[in-house]
Amino acid sequence: MVEEKRLDQNLYSTYLSRINSVLDYIEQHLAEPLTLEELSDVANFSRFHFHRIFSVFMGETLSHFIWRLRLEKAAVLLANDSKKTVSEIALDCGFSSPSSFSRSFKKYFELTPLEWRKEKLEQSNLDQEEGNYDHTHSNERKASFPAPIYNRSVEIMMRRTNMEKMGKSVTIKQLPETDVAYVRYIGPYAGDEKLFETLFNKLCAWAGPRGLLQRSDAQYLIIYHDNPDVTEEDKLRLSVCVTVPKNTRVEGEIGRMTIAAGEYAAARFELDSSEYGKAWDWLYGQWLPQSGYLPDDRLPFELYPTDVKSECEDKKVVDIYLPVKKI
């Protein structure tokens, strides 16, 4: 009975590893044509079975998943990059024509792309004028690191009176390409401390025996694949990560991905454990419009430095990395 249960768990981990490989591939090639044949080869499943397996694991069909990610990426670009035309965004997100993109966008968001862009621009201007940081959907984000690792809180935020002061620590950094091992989660995560404890413990249980946690340059990150203001809560994806040497072998539920090289705005915060999303809102809504930069099409992440500690017992240190490009 024990052997049978172990076999089932091993089989599940193998399937999950292959599905994660497909998710990473789709994210990296979203602007390109993606076929069932191509993706089933990435997953190493037969073309006959792959679609059904994907649907069981993801709760939606492969075609709907790709369609949804393209639209959600487009929604973010429309809101953040006013210099790009609707036609350019449509092609960047893998749509065959601006007309098909517009029809799909309105079907999903109930607004045309231009209506969406206008609404988001007006909201952004209002937030800047009023100092409005109360974005309920996005400000309840992360929970905390488990005590055995760092005893560092992940759900962190500064009080509004400290925003401008802390914002002065934003610097532009050129980061090299970085490999990370990850544990992935899909679903709601806001304020769920036990969830993050489980994810980090699972990652460390794998990395520890392999000597990856003892490395002097090991760093811990959380990568966010979706914008919580755009993606439905039960479909949000995140990856809890540790940096690893290139070509590190992974297995089962542990995947490996590469953080793209490039320019990042690195904002260091020393924060309490209340309203973490407000730090992200400040970076996007206050610092970014005045910075001379636009957000770039790479994944943002949080980094938890091990070489610095807050002098205040109820505050933690976190670096938020936002990919940027010059206007």
Side-chain angles (χ1 to χ4, degrees), residues 28 177-180 246 256-261:
Q28 294 162 9
E177 190 174 83
T178 304
D179 279 25
V180 297
K246 198 168 187 62
R256 182 170 57 83
M257 63 186 297
T258 301
I259 298 176

Side-chain angles (χ1 to χ4, degrees), residues 16-26 42-43 182 184:
L16 181 60
S17 175
R18 295 184 184 186
I19 293 297
N20 279 335
S21 296
V22 172
L23 299 185
D24 292 340
Y25 186 88
I26 291 172
V42 172
Y182 67 79
R184 181 158 295 157

Side-chain angles (χ1 to χ4, degrees), residues 37-49:
E37 291 76 13
E38 177 184 4
L39 296 176
S40 61
D41 288 344
V42 172
N44 198 23
F45 284 123
S46 74
R47 297 171 187 178
F48 179 78
H49 295 295

Side-chain angles (χ1 to χ4, degrees), residues 182-229:
Y182 67 79
V183 174
R184 181 158 295 157
Y185 172 78
I186 300 174
Y189 52 76
D192 191 340
E193 295 186 15
K194 289 193 177 298
L195 168 66
F196 280 86
E197 182 176 344
T198 298
L199 294 173
F200 272 102
N201 283 340
K202 185 179 293 186
L203 181 65
C204 290
W206 172 85
R210 291 164 174 79
L212 296 171
L213 302 183
Q214 289 73 41
R215 296 167 51 247
S216 60
D217 59 346
Q219 295 180 306
Y220 293 81
L221 306 87
I222 299 180
I223 297 174
Y224 298 98
H225 301 265
D226 304 294
N227 185 326
D229 290 327

Side-chain angles (χ1 to χ4, degrees), residues 42 64 82 130 132 149 170 172 183 195 241 293:
V42 172
H64 187 273
S82 60
E130 298 182 356
N132 177 15
I149 302 176
V170 179
I172 303 299
V183 174
L195 168 66
C241 310
Y293 288 87

